[in-house]
Amino acid sequence: MEKFIILKGGLTNQYLLPCPGGYLMVEAGDEKDFARFKGKLKKAGVDPREIRYLFLTHHHGDHAGFAARLREISQCRVIAHRDAAEPLKKGRNARVKGGGLTSRRAMLLAGIMIKLNLGLSLRFPPLELGENDILVQGDDNKLLRDLGVPGKVLHTPGHSPDSISLLLDDGSCFCGDAAMSSLQWLGLRYCCIYMSDVEENYRSWQKLITAGARTFYPAHGRPFKPEALKRNLNRFRQEDLVIPGRRRV
Ligand SMILES: [Zn+2]
């Protein structure tokens, strides 16, 4: 496929994949980054109305935060996992029993970012999905091809139950928060700072690698290779998670 566009800067990366009539964009971003996002889009020479689809890797506020506003100006169709519909409608990060932070340092940082409103909002403008939007049930090898994008959708839970990834036939993998390369100084070992189910998350890594992922393009951080995940596989266990309110920092 024609090379895609990466919009960096801000907490969350956006990726614009060419499709017939415009772009399929992977991820929106935090609500307060909307003006900055529009600036990046303009700089890239893309009109918001060219965004035909918005692929949300999951419902969290730093991904879906400005999705409602973007849909208003672009009329894009949203693609998300069916389990994202409810929390998107509420405009609120869903709590998952047993989920927690990858380390105490991660918990401290997340706490500070939420308190100071540094782009990690747990609440965001609600997004109600309708007939025009597309909910995926799980793995889907047909949907993207029908839209003219050569790739597939894979259900990759572990960061959140509704996490999905987009894998292009050339091995480019847009994995959302299933894995990330930023904040490695926190000792994250390519995991996100929050996980709902650690073992499930590692199974998702293996699933993506087995499916042919050759370069990972995460929502947070720079691209990386599968070797990074292979090196760090199964480094955490569910018991290692720090659950806010349950253990002292
Ligand atoms: Zn997330």
Side-chain angles (χ1 to χ4, degrees):
M1 95 187 283
E2 203 185 311
K3 196 67 189 154
F4 52 85
I5 299 170
I6 305 180
L7 302 180
K8 282 182 288 199
L11 188 66
T12 309
N13 302 322
Q14 291 87 31
Y15 301 97
L16 296 167
L17 317 187
C19 72
Y23 296 94
L24 177 150
M25 185 165 95
V26 183
E27 314 290 16
D30 191 83
E31 179 191 4
K32 72 171 186 48
D33 280 337
F34 190 52
R36 193 204 307 224
F37 160 74
K38 283 193 291 184
K40 290 191 282 181
L41 205 57
K42 196 171 180 185
K43 215 169 158 190
V46 177
D47 187 287
R49 284 165 300 187
E50 289 181 86
I51 300 172
R52 302 204 51 210
Y53 306 98
L54 171 62
F55 184 96
L56 290 177
T57 59
H58 61 296
H59 72 276
H60 286 164
D62 55 328
H63 297 251
F66 64 67
R69 293 180 71 187
L70 175 69
R71 192 171 61 176
E72 254 172 53
I73 61 167
S74 68
Q75 307 300 320
C76 64
R77 299 175 72 188
V78 176
I79 303 170
H81 189 269
R82 63 174 174 192
D83 292 344
E86 203 50 38
L88 285 172
K89 191 175 163 184
K90 287 184 185 152
R92 195 174 181 160
N93 283 19
R95 269 178 180 259
V96 177
K97 202 166 173 259
L101 283 302
T102 319
S103 71
R104 278 154 206 271
R105 274 182 291 175
M107 178 152 90
L108 278 174
L109 180 74
I112 291 167
M113 288 182 77
I114 290 166
K115 220 172 207 154
L116 300 181
N117 193 18
L118 295 177
L120 206 62
S121 318
L122 302 180
R123 285 172 177 269
F124 52 92
L127 175 73
E128 185 149 9
L129 301 182
E131 270 176 20
N132 198 35
D133 300 305
I134 303 167
L135 289 179
V136 298
Q137 314 289 321
D139 296 350
D140 195 315
N141 195 11
K142 187 171 178 290
L143 168 70
L144 297 174
R145 299 184 198 287
D146 287 348
L147 306 180
V149 176
K152 58 177 125 181
V153 181
L154 291 168
H155 186 212
T156 47
H159 168 66
S160 67
D162 65 327
S163 286
I164 50 176
S165 298
L166 192 162
L167 177 63
L168 292 179
D169 292 345
D170 71 0
S172 304
C173 180
F174 304 88
C175 61
D177 282 356
M180 74 176 204
S181 59
S182 63
L183 302 176
Q184 288 302 302
W185 52 273
L186 286 173
L188 299 178
R189 300 185 180 282
Y190 287 82
C191 288
C192 196
I193 60 173
Y194 172 90
M195 284 191 280
S196 59
D197 187 319
V198 175
E199 277 156 35
E200 203 168 48
N201 200 56
Y202 289 130
R203 281 198 295 275
S204 291
W205 286 10
Q206 276 177 316
K207 182 177 185 175
L208 291 171
I209 294 167
T210 306
R214 279 209 291 251
T215 307
F216 287 87
Y217 296 90
H220 311 297
R222 297 173 57 79
F224 55 89
K225 295 288 176 187
E227 286 66 33
L229 300 189
K230 287 181 193 163
R231 273 199 308 274
N232 287 289
L233 202 61
N234 299 324
R235 294 293 195 102
F236 287 113
R237 293 162 306 161
Q238 191 74 11
E239 307 90 86
D240 297 329
L241 293 185
V242 184
I243 301 173
R246 201 182 287 179
R247 290 186 215 170
R248 281 163 169 269
V249 177

